[in-house]
Amino acid sequence: MNVLDHHSRLVLAHRAAARPDFWGPTEDASGADASGAVEVVVDPAGLVRAVRVCDTGLLRTPEALQARVLEAHRAADTARAVAVQLAHSVEEPPATPEALVASLRPRVRRPNDAVRHARMVADSGGTPPTHAPPPRGVQGLSENGMVTVGTDADGRPATVLADPAWLSAATAGALQQALLQAFQRAFTQYADTLTTPTGGTS
């Protein structure tokens, strides 16, 4: 799927705020792990809207929970990226979903990107832009303190941790609620890092 650098994310967020229809699709996207034990639903902006646990028996260890939840989230986010690509594409879409996914490429920095960045630094008096990329990921903790979702430096979910004793007996409903809370709090924490000044001028 497309991977945007930090500055591109800020530009997209600004444009999306100015134009409600910027993202194109308005429906949520979902994805499940290969076993079907868990399903994750994301909105058009990539925020987790729901987590559905279909088989708690396959999620009873922290290792299994992390692997299956992250797999489901990747599937949902890929479906979201495909929907965005189709909504903004003016060309005939590829014949198959697999071909479309293969056609999505990360943004490639070009020399003029570096030139523009250098000018931004010069205009700010020799200091980096106000919003610097966060140095590391963040974490979101569920209300009961039993599930933690951690992101990488780009805001993508990277870890899902759970208390082993609680997980071994948690109901599907309790697990769904804890996962959703942890996801949403992690994304809120990450969004805060993007809007908190870290240097330079405003």
Side-chain angles (χ1 to χ4, degrees):
M1 71 184 71
N2 285 328
V3 178
L4 300 176
D5 62 23
H6 177 73
H7 295 294
S8 296
R9 284 171 180 264
L10 291 177
V11 170
L12 286 177
H14 175 74
R15 291 181 180 174
R19 262 186 60 190
D21 64 339
F22 176 80
W23 292 108
T26 58
E27 296 182 355
D28 295 340
S30 64
D33 70 300
S35 72
V38 61
E39 179 184 13
V40 172
V41 179
V42 298
D43 69 12
L47 302 179
V48 174
R49 292 281 300 274
V51 179
R52 300 177 182 130
V53 173
C54 304
D55 188 344
T56 56
L58 296 176
L59 305 171
R60 288 305 186 191
T61 67
E63 296 78 13
L65 180 72
Q66 174 170 274
R68 297 186 190 282
V69 170
L70 291 181
E71 181 184 357
H73 181 271
R74 284 193 298 271
D77 203 47
T78 297
R80 179 195 64 82
V82 168
V84 170
Q85 180 80 359
L86 284 174
H88 293 287
S89 176
V90 296
E91 301 175 354
E92 187 69 20
T96 66
E98 292 76 15
L100 179 58
V101 172
S103 72
L104 301 178
R105 293 290 180 268
R107 178 178 183 272
V108 178
R109 285 187 175 273
R110 297 179 174 82
N112 58 347
D113 290 334
V115 172
R116 283 195 295 269
H117 186 267
R119 287 175 179 168
M120 290 173 62
V121 173
D123 291 342
S124 66
T127 58
T130 300
H131 297 291
R136 58 183 180 276
V138 298
Q139 292 185 331
L141 182 66
S142 62
E143 287 185 5
N144 64 6
M146 295 300 167
V147 175
T148 301
V149 170
T151 75
D152 62 16
D154 291 319
R156 291 183 294 264
T159 60
V160 178
L161 309 176
D163 178 88
W166 175 83
L167 182 60
S168 67
T171 64
L175 187 52
Q176 289 174 168
Q177 182 178 31
L179 284 167
L180 180 59
Q181 290 170 349
F183 265 117
Q184 293 183 337
R185 290 183 176 188
F187 288 139
T188 298
Q189 290 285 340
Y190 181 75
D192 287 345
T193 70
L194 299 182
T195 58
T196 301
T198 57
T201 59
S202 56

